[in-house]
Amino acid sequence: MKKFLNNQFFMIIAAMIFFGVQKVNAQTTLSQVKSIMRDRGWIATADSRYAYLKEGESTTDWYRIFYSTLEYAIVAYSDDEDVLDIDLQLNDAYGEAYIKDDEFDEFSILQFTPAYTISLGIKMTNYSSIEKYLTSKCNYTIFYRTTD
């Protein structure tokens, strides 16, 4: 658990350094996120998803297999500046939280290496927005790298 927290802290700091120059919620694009992560040694999967969410709304779990031989990072962000806090949560087959980010951030990063190959559901939440009744496009992308 401590290793996870250290890894997550590293990813948040790295993103904050980059986004210190560019405000995260000012039209963040998939190509920007991919570029940042690629510069840090991550490879993007084809698993990029988006949903239009109002404040307090979440996606349903989207299940995917995560392999124990890989380290993963899932990055969530919004295309518009209305979203103040976006959160990610991974759930196991029983709906129990495997790992989650519930920090108050305009982006969310979950970084983990599963102990064994496992199917996990990804749930994204628009926790807070400036205009709570307007929908905002919220996105997440999955990245990986080998654990060598």
Side-chain angles (χ1 to χ4, degrees):
M1 180 68 169
K2 185 173 174 104
K3 181 180 179 190
F4 161 75
L5 293 176
N6 287 339
N7 288 340
Q8 187 178 24
F9 179 74
F10 168 76
M11 290 300 296
I12 290 170
I13 295 302
M16 287 172 68
I17 290 169
F18 173 82
F19 290 128
V21 179
Q22 295 176 299
K23 185 116 173 94
V24 171
N25 60 8
Q27 300 295 319
T28 303
T29 65
L30 177 58
S31 62
Q32 289 172 317
V33 171
K34 283 183 175 181
S35 176
I36 294 164
M37 296 300 284
R38 184 177 43 250
D39 290 346
R40 287 164 179 75
W42 294 93
I43 300 166
T45 68
D47 299 323
S48 294
R49 301 274 190 247
Y50 67 89
Y52 291 93
L53 302 171
K54 294 178 185 175
E55 179 179 278
E57 290 184 332
S58 299
T59 62
T60 57
D61 287 355
W62 177 70
Y63 280 86
R64 174 191 198 291
I65 301 290
F66 293 93
Y67 299 97
S68 61
T69 56
L70 298 173
E71 180 180 13
Y72 293 93
I74 305 173
V75 180
Y77 59 95
S78 179
D79 283 355
D80 68 53
E81 57 193 45
D82 187 54
V83 177
L84 301 173
D85 183 19
I86 192 166
D87 292 328
L88 284 171
Q89 178 171 320
L90 295 181
N91 296 315
D92 64 18
Y94 302 103
E96 299 294 321
Y98 178 82
I99 190 173
K100 66 181 178 177
D101 162 53
D102 54 8
E103 299 293 322
F104 193 85
D105 292 320
E106 295 167 339
F107 63 96
S108 179
I109 301 172
L110 293 180
Q111 184 178 347
F112 65 100
T113 303
Y116 51 90
T117 298
I118 187 171
S119 177
L120 296 170
I122 304 167
K123 181 170 131 180
M124 179 173 52
T125 302
N126 175 355
Y127 191 79
S128 179
S129 292
I130 294 170
E131 298 292 333
K132 63 182 179 177
Y133 299 111
L134 299 178
T135 59
S136 296
K137 185 178 179 189
C138 300
N139 312 273
Y140 69 80
T141 302
I142 302 171
F143 297 87
Y144 71 93
R145 62 185 174 192
T146 59
T147 56
D148 298 312

